[in-house]
Amino acid sequence: MPTPIHERKLANAIRVLAFDAVQKANSGHPGAPMGMADIAEVVWRKFLKHNPVDPNWANRDRFVLSNGHGSMLLYALLHLTGYELSLDDLKNFRQLHSKTPGHPEYGYTAGVETTTGPLGQGLANAVGFAIAEKTLAQQFNRAGHEIINHHTYVFLGDGCLMEGISHEVCSLAGTLGLGKLIAYYDDNGISIDGEVEGWFSDDTQKRFEAYGWQVQKIDGHDTDAITQATINALNETSKPSLIMCKTVIGAGSPNKQGKEESHGSPLGADEIKLTRETLAWVDDAFVINQEIYDAWDNKAKGQALQGNWQADFDNYKKQHPMLADELLRRLNGDLPADFDKVAYDFIKDCQSKGESVASRKASQNTINALQPLMPELLGGSADLAGSNLTWFHNAKALEHDPAGNYIHYGVREFGMTAIANGIALHGGFIPYVATFLMFMEYARNAVRMSALMKQRVIHVYTHDSIGLGEDGPTHQPVEQLTALRSTPNLHTWRPCDTVESAVAWVEALKTKTTPSALIFSRQNLACQSRDDDQIANIAKGGYILAKEKGELKAIIIATGSEVEIAMNAFNSLDGQGIRVVSMPCAEVFINQDNDYRESVLPSNIRARVAIEASHTDFWYKFVGLDGKVIGMTTFGESAPAKQLFNHFGITAEAVIQAVTSLIKG
């Protein structure tokens, strides 16, 4: 048997691929891949359970590169271990439409589990993976069959730990005892601005021990130490583990290792030549000899691991056929077979009851109606369950029942949302999370990541306008709806009553590749009258709620609580020449065919008024510059809701005046 290649040489393969790709692109971050190469070699060759032939194997370990600027580390690993990522792909690093974008992008590259780059969010996603694994295992594993049994490994850097989201999610991970979460901290002491000790002097060990984590400190270039620390982490099943790896950024570069020069810039041709000599690497750029490929190749091992799992799953399916089918349904992201019937029966029931309740209560009623059919719903709220009304009849909190279906996230809006992204990416669950609409701002970047990664995460936001009243302008959203609506691949629903609230939930659950923001009121809203055709058209995002009498002369467009105001104006005008359009989801409406849009908003009718207790600018795309928008252009005030609507002129009288003036020309 030939002598195995020394582990350091295998790690050096990562280093040379990283600095060669960055040099060719003349852009990128070689320092982190070079500094973490020894850690990566140990984790990926000795411990990570994965199959390059089937990157979506359900029971694979998840690997997250939270310090995503070091993306060439991950790309090199995927290439070397046998994923569909060629040398040409590596040479195309950071180029248009390549499989190797500047930061790892979910959906671009086989083996990339999540999009990372905004520091700290990959760590948060990893917490979501670990929650999903633990909960799914509790729900489906049976004696003799650990069908769900894998770990989540995450690499992270100083920047991830400086970001506040790291505190939110690591605190919760310790509380929940996520023993299958293993984090490797690249403790190199360098960021773009230089040595971090001037602005990052935390005692990280004590910090994580206080969270309830197992913490180990090692030399990140000592493969034996990395191996033993990982074994210790695997043996600690009741706590997440942080392995603090003291490393040298840009390790191997004679003149730039340990310095910020290696962090975010190519090493340069001269330095690369010296680095090759230092590493005793004789091959040219992008040349890896077959012996190294053979030592790295994980295809046979991965297929054997998956084959053993599949045999176990086949036996599991014989003993527990209904459980097996349910697990596969949930992992595929499919809704139950009778979902449409149950959902639409409930919607019809809401219309027939005609209840006047807050849309946040209508949301809770919908969850209660659909959840028994959908055990994959994994809900949660940022300490506001009693206000968001996200707690449901069959809710079981994870802190009390590991097989539960509800997460008390605490006051952690950003962490909550990024964790939910990880839960959705893992599969087996449809997560929803909740807070006040105003505090979406704390979570804004994670909401954006839901949309960027095309994940079915449902963001529930209540207390949606000045209508929340006395809490005042700090809590009254004004510009938040515009921010959500301007986010690509996000559906923002603001329903006006129980029926639209139910439809919003149903459509959010049916949309596999688009997250949804469901916007609900604090105050009670009247249920509007509709026929079956109108109910069906709610799902199109906008529809005619009240049809004009006689010749159409003007159109009133409204959402949420302001639909009632629009209807009051319509009734005062006796509907003469006036149409009311309810538009609970503008993004969905815009995506309808032209014939439908024209039937609702005829282009020849220029007299249009939009009313919404939110920032006015968004609505000019629907009313044109000649139309009128009644809404907010300032922050709110502290007062009862009715007083505030009158104070800011968001009234039926204002709508009537605007409509009348437009008709008169």
Side-chain angles (χ1 to χ4, degrees):
M1 175 178 285
T3 303
I5 299 173
H6 191 272
E7 292 169 339
R8 187 59 53 83
K9 191 170 185 179
L10 298 180
N12 286 344
I14 298 171
R15 292 185 170 97
V16 297
L17 287 173
F19 64 62
D20 281 342
V22 171
Q23 185 68 26
K24 186 175 187 302
N26 196 30
S27 176
H29 300 73
M34 296 173 71
M36 298 194 80
D38 298 309
I39 308 167
E41 185 272 327
V42 171
V43 172
W44 276 66
R45 291 189 64 248
K46 294 184 179 179
F47 296 102
L48 194 71
K49 184 175 62 177
H50 65 115
N51 182 9
V53 179
D54 184 3
N56 297 316
W57 169 34
N59 200 44
R60 69 193 181 279
D61 289 334
R62 270 52 169 190
F63 177 82
V64 177
L65 184 70
S66 187
N67 44 345
H69 55 270
S71 56
M72 268 309 306
L73 172 67
L74 180 52
Y75 298 148
L77 288 164
L78 294 172
H79 171 71
L80 291 167
T81 55
Y83 287 80
E84 288 189 7
L85 197 66
S86 68
L87 272 176
D88 284 338
D89 292 322
L90 301 190
K91 293 176 184 178
N92 210 24
F93 179 53
R94 288 189 164 225
Q95 305 308 302
L96 184 64
H97 303 315
S98 75
K99 291 183 180 180
T100 50
H103 292 82
E105 301 281 350
Y106 176 78
Y108 279 63
T109 315
V112 172
E113 300 283 4
T114 179
T115 299
T116 54
L119 293 176
Q121 286 197 62
L123 175 57
N125 299 158
V127 173
F129 285 134
I131 289 173
E133 189 279 338
K134 182 177 181 178
T135 306
L136 204 63
Q138 290 287 331
Q139 292 178 357
F140 283 96
N141 288 353
R142 293 296 183 267
H145 299 288
E146 292 194 343
I147 298 303
I148 304 298
N149 179 18
H150 51 266
H151 287 78
T152 300
Y153 296 88
V154 55
F155 284 9
L156 57 104
D158 292 304
C160 295
L161 294 184
M162 283 187 261
E163 291 287 359
I165 191 173
S166 68
H167 164 69
E168 296 183 25
V169 302
C170 293
S171 169
L172 185 61
T175 298
L176 294 177
L178 301 179
K180 289 185 177 178
L181 174 63
I182 303 175
Y184 298 80
Y185 167 31
D186 182 24
D187 185 11
N188 61 43
I190 297 292
S191 68
I192 289 177
D193 280 352
E195 296 180 5
V196 302
E197 61 184 11
W199 50 87
F200 185 51
S201 58
D202 301 15
D203 188 328
T204 300
Q205 179 175 354
K206 289 182 180 178
R207 171 186 167 188
F208 275 77
E209 287 173 348
Y211 292 152
W213 288 53
Q214 178 197 64
V215 182
Q216 303 173 76
K217 298 180 77 170
I218 64 169
D219 178 349
H221 300 294
D222 182 338
T223 57
D224 289 338
I226 299 165
T227 300
Q228 188 57 54
T230 303
I231 292 170
N232 295 342
L234 291 168
N235 289 335
E236 174 51 78
T237 59
S238 63
K239 295 179 180 181
S241 292
L242 178 70
I243 302 174
M244 299 178 63
C245 304
K246 196 63 183 174
T247 61
V248 177
I249 192 170
S253 169
N255 298 308
K256 294 188 177 183
Q257 68 177 13
K259 300 177 181 178
E260 62 269 24
E261 288 93 333
S262 69
H263 186 290
S265 301
L267 295 182
D270 291 342
E271 186 66 15
I272 283 177
K273 181 179 179 181
L274 292 174
T275 303
R276 274 190 156 79
E277 293 173 359
T278 300
L279 300 177
W281 194 272
V282 298
D283 294 314
D284 293 333
F286 296 106
V287 174
I288 304 292
N289 68 54
Q290 190 60 47
E291 198 175 7
I292 289 178
Y293 275 128
D294 291 343
W296 267 107
D297 190 2
N298 195 70
K299 293 192 291 292
K301 180 181 177 182
Q303 287 179 290
L305 285 168
Q306 185 170 351
N308 291 337
W309 176 87
Q310 186 64 51
D312 187 23
F313 183 78
D314 290 343
N315 289 329
Y316 173 84
K317 189 170 185 176
K318 291 176 183 177
Q319 296 181 36
H320 308 283
M322 294 180 65
L323 271 178
D325 288 344
E326 177 69 358
L327 176 59
L328 290 175
R329 177 189 73 79
R330 287 172 55 172
L331 290 173
N332 289 333
D334 298 329
L335 298 179
D338 50 352
F339 175 82
D340 284 345
K341 182 181 187 309
V342 172
Y344 292 113
D345 284 351
F346 176 72
I347 291 167
K348 291 285 189 68
D349 188 53
C350 288
Q351 187 67 65
S352 64
K353 286 181 178 177
E355 294 178 310
S356 295
V357 297
S359 55
R360 60 174 174 159
K361 179 61 179 176
S363 167
Q364 185 181 48
N365 292 343
T366 305
I367 298 171
N368 279 325
L370 298 180
Q371 189 279 328
L373 183 67
M374 300 191 65
E376 62 263 43
L377 276 179
L378 184 57
S381 178
D383 200 48
L384 292 168
S387 295
N388 298 143
L389 300 184
T390 49
W391 186 260
F392 50 92
H393 291 324
N394 299 321
K396 297 176 183 178
L398 293 191
E399 69 266 25
H400 302 305
D401 183 352
N405 50 23
Y406 195 88
I407 303 172
H408 285 109
Y409 283 102
V411 187
R412 301 180 176 100
E413 294 90 353
F414 191 8
M416 167 185 73
T417 308
I419 286 171
N421 289 340
I423 291 171
L425 286 160
H426 179 279
F429 294 100
I430 301 175
Y432 71 84
V433 292
T435 186
F436 290 173
L437 177 56
M438 184 67 248
F439 303 125
M440 176 278 297
E441 294 291 357
Y442 284 136
R444 175 82 180 105
N445 199 266
V447 177
R448 184 177 188 271
M449 297 303 291
S450 299
L452 183 64
M453 293 190 286
K454 301 179 181 179
Q455 292 305 297
R456 180 167 44 182
V457 178
I458 300 173
H459 306 277
V460 176
Y461 299 123
T462 68
H463 297 61
D464 66 347
S465 72
I466 57 171
L468 70 87
E470 294 85 347
D471 275 337
T474 61
H475 284 54
Q476 293 167 4
V478 172
E479 70 276 25
Q480 284 64 43
L481 280 171
T482 299
L484 291 169
R485 287 169 175 153
S486 65
T487 304
N489 193 46
L490 176 68
H491 291 168
T492 301
W493 291 85
R494 187 171 182 248
C496 75
D497 62 4
T498 57
V499 180
E500 287 190 2
S501 297
V503 172
W505 262 106
V506 169
E507 293 305 307
L509 290 167
K510 290 172 67 174
T511 308
K512 271 190 174 185
T513 59
T514 303
S516 300
L518 308 185
I519 316 297
F520 299 120
S521 72
R522 179 193 184 193
Q523 70 271 36
N524 288 349
L525 306 179
C527 186
Q528 302 298 326
S529 176
R530 300 176 187 82
D531 60 28
D532 288 348
D533 288 339
Q534 288 172 306
I535 291 173
N537 285 336
I538 296 172
K540 296 179 180 179
Y543 65 103
I544 301 170
L545 179 62
K547 189 171 177 58
E548 67 279 0
K549 295 180 181 178
E551 179 187 356
L552 177 60
K553 297 178 180 178
I555 300 172
I556 305 169
I557 307 169
T559 79
S561 54
E562 290 71 69
V563 168
E564 187 173 343
I565 295 174
M567 287 302 298
N568 289 340
F570 174 87
N571 292 328
S572 294
L573 294 169
D574 195 29
Q576 293 298 323
I578 311 300
R579 173 181 295 182
V580 174
V581 170
S582 177
M583 194 172 291
C585 187
E587 303 83 35
V588 170
F589 177 76
I590 289 170
N591 285 328
Q592 301 305 309
D593 62 61
N594 185 68
D595 288 345
Y596 179 76
R597 295 196 310 269
E598 185 69 15
S599 72
V600 176
L601 296 176
S603 54
N604 66 314
I605 304 300
R606 309 296 295 172
R608 299 183 184 186
V609 177
I611 175 172
E612 184 176 62
S614 181
H615 202 281
T616 57
D617 282 3
F618 174 81
W619 290 104
Y620 284 103
K621 69 168 66 179
F622 290 102
V623 304
L625 295 179
D626 296 329
K628 294 184 180 294
V629 181
I630 297 169
M632 299 292 294
T633 57
T634 68
F635 296 117
E637 297 283 350
S638 179
K642 186 174 182 180
Q643 292 181 25
L644 290 171
F645 277 92
N646 288 330
H647 173 75
F648 288 106
I650 303 174
T651 62
E653 291 74 19
V655 175
I656 292 169
Q657 183 179 359
V659 169
T660 303
S661 67
L662 288 172
I663 291 175
K664 290 180 178 179

